[in-house]
Each structure stands twice: as structure tokens, then as C-alpha cells.
Amino acid sequence: MSERLRPLLSVLMIALLAAQVAFSRTMPRDWQLDPSPGDPPSPTLARLAALGDADSAARMLTLYLQSFDAQAGRQMRVASIDQHQLRAWLELIADLQPASGYAPFLASRIYAETAPVADARALLDWVAARFEHDPGSQWSWMAHAVFVARHRLHDTALAARYARLLRERTRGVQVPKWARELELFLVADGNETRAARALIGGLVESGELSDPETIELLLRRLNEAKRTAKHDGRPEEAARGSDINPEGFMRPEPKSLGLNGEMK
């Protein structure tokens, strides 16, 4: 570095520090955290601000939304952010970047896990709506919505509805088997014996469920749930038949012809 530049850089650093001190003194000491991020801009205005680049616009809006809970050096609870406006910002970000799953990720992984129950349900419903629009790229956040509904909201019926939507809308879409089987485990764990038997039998018959180990695991959990119901004094659940034999749900192996033309 040139010796002539050193004094100039020192003066510049001192000036910047002085500006920082002056700016900090203009901040009110009784700063009140504002839970409202305001209404989002229109999609057209957002694109104009990013010189027509929708992806860049979505990133800028995401940075604003994610940093909104940090105000004047203080941290605001994420759950206290205005939820109606929050969903409006997420909707705009998702519309600007429809192939990205980042807005549904924020909704299901960050905001729904901390929001009040009613707002969490609304966020998960929004994730489900985005999933229906593009199951191929949004299925993972739909699966997380199942988890949040079951384990954070403790709403098995809502979780099962999301899981059924996940199974039905991913036919023909390349997703892991476990994602399609979430509904089966939820029904089995929920003591819904008749519904579980009907669902498992229907999936086996249609060929969607063919792995013997998975079938056996599901029915074993269903039998355990029945025994738990009996132990807990819920005869209406425990009395719905004896333990289920997995062999009754297994498809018979196709027979083949031997050399002499006989079946073997």
C-alpha cells in the first residue's frame, strides 16, 4: 500500500466512525418494535426495483422479510409479526419465484412453527395451496406441513388431510416412497382401525403399496395402537376385531410354468 494513501484511509475511517456515532444518536431511545412489515409492493413495482429481474426481486424481498424481526438492535419475536401481512409477502415472493421452494420453506419451517395456532393453520393451508400448484417442486414442504400439523399443532386429522393430499397429488411425480406413505402411518397411529385397513387394502390392490416389510410394519403399529386403546379403556377402538394378520394383505407371488408345463 502506498505511504501516501495511509493518512487518507485513516481520515476516512475516522469520518465513518463519526458518522456512525452521529446516526446512532438520532435513533429514539424509546424505540417501539413494530410488528407490521407493511403491505408488500405490487409485482410490477418489485420487478422494476430489480431492473426487471424477478429472481433478484424475490431475493431482495426475502432479505427484507427475514430481517424484519431485528429492529434498532433489538430482536422481536417472530410470532408477533402481523400474520396477514406476512402471508401477503410470502405470496408475492412465491409468485416472483414460482420454481423456488424458499417461501413455502419459510412458511412451514420458520413461521408456522412459532405462530399462534390459528395463524399456523393458515400458513400450512397456504403451503398446501402452493403444493397443489406445483407438486413436483413443493412436495418436501408439504411433508413438513404434515409434521408441523401432527407434532406442533397436535392435529392428527389435519396432518392426515395434508398427507392424503401429498399422496394423491404426487402420483406420477418422482418423490421418495416415505412421502407417499405418511398417510398410512398417521392413520395407523391414530387408532383408526377400519380406515387404516381399508386404506392399506386399497393401496395394495392398486399396486401403490407392494413392499411386504412396509405392510408388516404398518399393521404391527396398527395392532399396537389397538392394544393401547384397550389398555386405556377405549373399547370402541379395541373391539374392532382381533389383531390383523399381515399375510392377509400380501399379494400372492405369481406362479410360473415348469418345463413340463405344470404350474410351480
Side-chain angles (χ1 to χ4, degrees):
M1 181 184 294
S2 173
E3 294 295 330
R4 295 181 179 180
L5 290 179
R6 290 182 181 275
L8 180 61
L9 290 175
S10 298
V11 171
L12 180 60
M13 288 295 295
I14 294 172
L16 289 174
L17 287 172
Q20 173 64 26
V21 171
F23 176 75
S24 63
R25 289 191 173 185
T26 64
M27 300 296 293
R29 297 191 178 277
D30 58 344
W31 178 275
Q32 298 295 320
L33 295 176
D34 183 5
S36 171
D39 294 326
S42 67
T44 301
L45 184 58
R47 288 190 179 91
L48 285 175
L51 303 178
D53 188 344
D55 285 343
S56 296
R59 293 190 187 97
M60 288 190 298
L61 296 175
T62 301
L63 287 173
Y64 168 76
L65 189 61
Q66 285 189 265
S67 62
F68 178 75
D69 57 312
Q71 300 180 13
R74 297 172 59 188
Q75 196 74 24
M76 179 173 56
R77 290 177 62 248
V78 173
S80 63
I81 298 176
D82 185 293
Q83 296 295 309
H84 178 75
Q85 292 179 335
L86 173 66
R87 291 194 297 275
W89 280 88
L90 290 171
E91 184 75 20
L92 174 59
I93 294 169
D95 286 343
L96 289 170
Q97 242 181 352
S100 170
Y102 200 68
F105 157 74
L106 290 175
S108 62
R109 186 68 182 86
I110 305 299
Y111 297 116
E113 290 196 0
T114 57
V117 172
D119 294 321
R121 290 176 186 272
L123 284 166
L124 295 182
D125 283 342
W126 179 81
V127 171
R130 299 301 305 192
F131 163 74
E132 289 197 79
H133 180 70
D134 186 6
S137 65
Q138 309 294 329
W139 68 265
S140 59
W141 305 120
M142 189 71 242
H144 192 74
V146 174
F147 172 84
V148 174
R150 175 65 181 86
H151 296 285
R152 196 252 159 171
L153 303 183
H154 305 291
D155 190 335
T156 304
L158 181 63
R161 178 164 67 84
Y162 289 154
R164 181 168 60 254
L165 183 66
L166 180 60
R167 174 176 60 84
E168 293 175 346
R169 292 304 304 270
T170 53
R171 289 171 181 163
V173 179
Q174 189 173 0
V175 299
K177 286 181 62 178
W178 63 260
R180 293 194 181 94
E181 294 169 356
L182 283 175
E183 182 188 8
L184 295 169
F185 287 97
L186 283 167
V187 174
D189 287 346
N191 293 327
E192 297 290 342
T193 309
R194 291 177 181 172
R197 293 184 67 173
L199 178 60
I200 295 171
L203 293 178
V204 170
E205 183 65 27
S206 67
E208 291 187 58
L209 183 63
S210 57
D211 180 31
E213 292 184 359
T214 301
I215 297 172
E216 184 176 1
L217 174 61
L218 285 167
L219 297 181
R220 185 166 63 248
R221 292 178 68 163
L222 186 58
N223 289 330
E224 290 172 355
K226 283 167 60 63
R227 285 191 286 272
T228 301
K230 183 177 180 180
H231 178 74
D232 293 343
R234 288 176 285 166
E236 70 280 2
E237 294 291 348
R240 290 178 180 174
S242 58
D243 282 1
I244 304 168
N245 183 2
E247 294 182 0
F249 284 89
M250 302 299 183
R251 281 188 162 187
E253 293 293 330
K255 295 182 179 181
S256 58
L257 286 174
L259 296 176
N260 58 359
E262 295 180 353
M263 297 295 291
K264 66 175 184 179

